[in-house]
Amino acid sequence: METRWVGPDGYEITAATNGGRQVLRLRRYGEVVADCFSVEELRRFVDLADLCEVVTLPFGMARRRQEAVR
C-alpha cells in the first residue's frame, strides 16, 4: 500500500525512486514540483506541520464499518 500525504494548496507527497534512489516526490495539483532526497529539502517547499497522511482502506472495509455503526 502506498503512503501519501496531502497538504493545503493542492500539495501531495509520495515515495518514489529517481536514479535508483528513494525520494519524496512533491506534486502540486498533479504536476511534479520536485523530487526531494531528504525531509530537510522537502521543508523548503511545504510546511510539514500542515500535512495529513492519507489512509486507504481495503475494499469493502468502509461498508463493514458503516454497517457496524447502524
Side-chain angles (χ1 to χ4, degrees), residues 37-53:
F37 292 96
S38 69
V39 174
E40 276 302 313
E41 189 177 347
L42 182 64
R43 292 175 83 173
R44 294 184 209 156
F45 296 97
V46 65
D47 185 352
L48 301 179
D50 290 339
L51 300 177
C52 295
E53 185 176 359

Side-chain angles (χ1 to χ4, degrees), residues 1-16:
M1 197 176 312
E2 179 181 276
T3 302
R4 90 187 154 106
W5 299 268
V6 295
D9 300 323
Y11 284 108
E12 178 180 352
I13 295 105
T14 56

